[in-house]
Amino acid sequence: MERKNYALAGETTEDQLTSVILATEVQEYKPLPGFHQRVRNLQYCRAQQDIDCDEVYPGIYIGDSLTARNKKYLKMLGITHLLNSAEGTRFGFVNTNSNYYADTTIKYLGLQVKDLPSEDIGKYFYTAANFIDEAMSTRGKAFVHCMQGVSRSATCVLAYLMIKKDMLACDALHLLRTNRDVRPNKGFLWQLAQLDNKLRRQRLTS
């Protein structure tokens, strides 16, 4: 995947997005979605121990692979759509598919993306955005995950916010960072910057 050096004034760059990550403080000590702070019994507390999930935008949740396998928790949240951005059986991937959720009402989408700067995640931007938008437009809830819920999944949600909500990349990344410690790798940030520039040019000519 060839990188072009854009020198045009006003264009979003990978460095700008990296600066947003460094400058945005993640909100700490938030209650887990679906749980109530005031409930203190032991069983209730144990149920939260293996959950890693944050609501990063109304109706959109990012989490890790262990949480994605917790169908009881997903049902409690009311998840209608699940996007696995790391589908696969190799190391660094999450070995689930539509069959895993066959006993639920969850609609599943799997993307086989490596968490590498050289990986072309951009080819899935519109696929991911359309899938998440389907959940939002039907008043559903979307759970997006990879292995840790940090890079691949966050990149997919950022693409949704940029494509469907007309958010600028810096603003979308700042929003996600305030709700979860997301850190897309440098290659993904570069691709998001290119998407941002493309979308802004389209808005200027429309």
Side-chain angles (χ1 to χ4, degrees):
M1 184 173 51
E2 180 184 358
R3 293 194 184 196
K4 296 180 181 179
N5 182 20
Y6 287 95
L8 296 177
E11 290 219 333
T12 304
T13 65
E14 172 195 322
D15 288 342
Q16 287 176 345
L17 296 180
T18 300
S19 296
V20 173
I21 292 176
L22 296 174
T24 307
E25 292 187 13
V26 182
Q27 182 182 348
E28 297 182 357
Y29 309 115
K30 295 191 307 174
L32 282 170
F35 291 97
H36 301 284
Q37 286 182 302
R38 294 182 179 180
V39 179
R40 298 293 183 184
N41 72 65
L42 184 59
Q43 184 178 1
Y44 199 74
C45 292
R46 283 177 175 170
Q48 301 179 52
Q49 289 180 352
D50 294 326
I51 301 296
D52 179 7
C53 173
D54 293 288
E55 187 173 18
V56 296
Y57 187 83
I60 300 176
Y61 302 81
I62 293 179
D64 69 353
S65 59
L66 195 60
T67 307
R69 291 188 177 97
N70 191 332
K71 290 182 277 190
K72 182 178 179 181
Y73 178 67
L74 298 177
K75 182 178 180 180
M76 184 173 73
L77 283 183
I79 299 300
T80 58
H81 292 64
L82 185 139
L83 169 54
N84 177 2
S85 59
E87 184 187 73
T89 58
R90 293 170 293 168
F91 178 78
F93 288 79
V94 184
N95 187 18
T96 59
N97 52 40
S98 57
N99 291 332
Y100 184 82
Y101 300 98
D103 59 345
T104 75
T105 58
I106 293 173
K107 186 171 183 178
Y108 175 89
L109 174 66
L111 304 177
Q112 298 180 5
V113 181
K114 301 173 187 174
D115 188 18
L116 295 173
S118 60
E119 183 78 348
D120 183 10
I121 195 173
K123 64 185 178 183
Y124 296 118
F125 280 166
Y126 283 85
T127 300
N130 289 335
F131 184 75
I132 297 171
D133 191 56
E134 180 182 283
M136 299 299 97
S137 62
T138 55
R139 297 184 179 181
K141 293 182 178 181
F143 184 89
V144 186
H145 76 94
C146 44
M147 275 295 292
Q148 296 180 318
V150 169
S151 181
R152 287 168 282 190
S153 53
T155 301
C156 289
V157 174
L158 288 166
Y160 162 78
L161 293 174
M162 294 162 63
I163 294 168
K164 297 297 183 178
K165 295 300 180 181
D166 294 333
M167 292 185 68
L168 297 176
C170 288
D171 294 337
L173 184 54
H174 174 76
L175 173 64
L176 258 62
R177 283 280 301 172
T178 59
N179 291 298
R180 184 175 176 85
D181 187 13
V182 298
R183 288 168 274 112
N185 71 51
K186 284 185 172 292
F188 293 175
L189 291 178
W190 181 82
Q191 292 174 70
L192 287 167
Q194 305 320 302
L195 175 65
D196 196 43
N197 295 327
K198 172 188 171 184
L199 292 172
R200 287 196 289 156
R201 282 192 285 268
Q202 288 176 352
R203 293 181 194 121
L204 286 174
T205 57
S206 62

